[in-house]
Amino acid sequence: MKLYRATLEAKGYLHFYATEYLKATRVSDLLHNWALMFAVNDVHGNPELTHLENLRRANFYCTAATQKVANRRTYLRNPVPEDTGAGKMGLMEIEYYLPGSTFQLHILSRDGSEPPTLILYGKKRVPCQMIDV
């Protein structure tokens, strides 16, 4: 086993929904460790299995990633149908991280191998580079 401290840098606009309330989505201050483990281990989840079953053969365990330099922006998506059945349209506010945002995490390698240098993370599978491993 080997433990790594790594910095993850988003190379594109990083979208993921931490919370969604009415028509506003927000990213969180942390990148969730389960999502990071799927990305670092390049596991494509099978919906018929639980998360633990999907990650059974995973080599890397990840902690949640904390922000180092993270810049957020929001944009409005227009129009978004409302669920009222009256045919109304509304605006949706979506928050995301800008390219260059960095996060710090720890990665435990079961077999001692180094983590991948590039992963795909988030709703749109944005390339993220592992630096300072």
Side-chain angles (χ1 to χ4, degrees):
M1 276 198 219
K2 193 167 182 181
L3 181 66
Y4 296 92
R5 185 172 79 182
T7 300
L8 186 69
E9 181 180 358
K11 295 297 183 182
Y13 297 97
L14 186 56
H15 290 81
F16 62 92
Y17 296 167
T19 61
E20 184 174 0
Y21 181 71
L22 297 176
K23 295 205 180 314
T25 63
R26 298 284 177 255
V27 293
S28 68
D29 295 337
L30 299 173
L31 303 185
H32 197 271
N33 71 319
W34 283 88
L36 284 166
M37 286 192 298
F38 273 87
V40 170
N41 289 290
D42 195 27
V43 172
H44 302 280
N46 178 348
E48 295 176 8
L49 302 176
T50 66
H51 283 336
L52 286 175
E53 291 168 336
N54 276 309
L55 291 171
R56 184 168 310 225
R57 293 184 191 94
N59 182 46
F60 300 104
Y61 175 83
C62 303
T63 63
T66 57
Q67 297 177 13
K68 276 180 86 173
V69 178
N71 298 309
R72 301 178 196 197
R73 295 290 186 273
T74 58
Y75 68 91
L76 294 176
R77 178 177 284 166
N78 182 19
V80 176
E82 292 185 7
D83 296 331
T84 61
K88 292 183 178 180
M89 302 298 266
L91 296 174
M92 183 169 193
E93 184 178 276
I94 299 172
E95 185 177 48
Y96 60 94
Y97 284 109
L98 291 176
S101 295
T102 56
F103 304 86
Q104 189 165 12
L105 70 149
H106 289 86
I107 302 171
L108 182 64
S109 173
R110 183 180 295 177
D111 66 2
S113 61
E114 290 193 15
T117 56
L118 190 69
I119 65 170
L120 300 175
Y121 184 81
K123 180 179 179 179
K124 300 185 186 251
R125 297 187 45 83
V126 172
C128 296
Q129 183 177 8
M130 295 278 191
I131 53 177
D132 301 331
V133 177

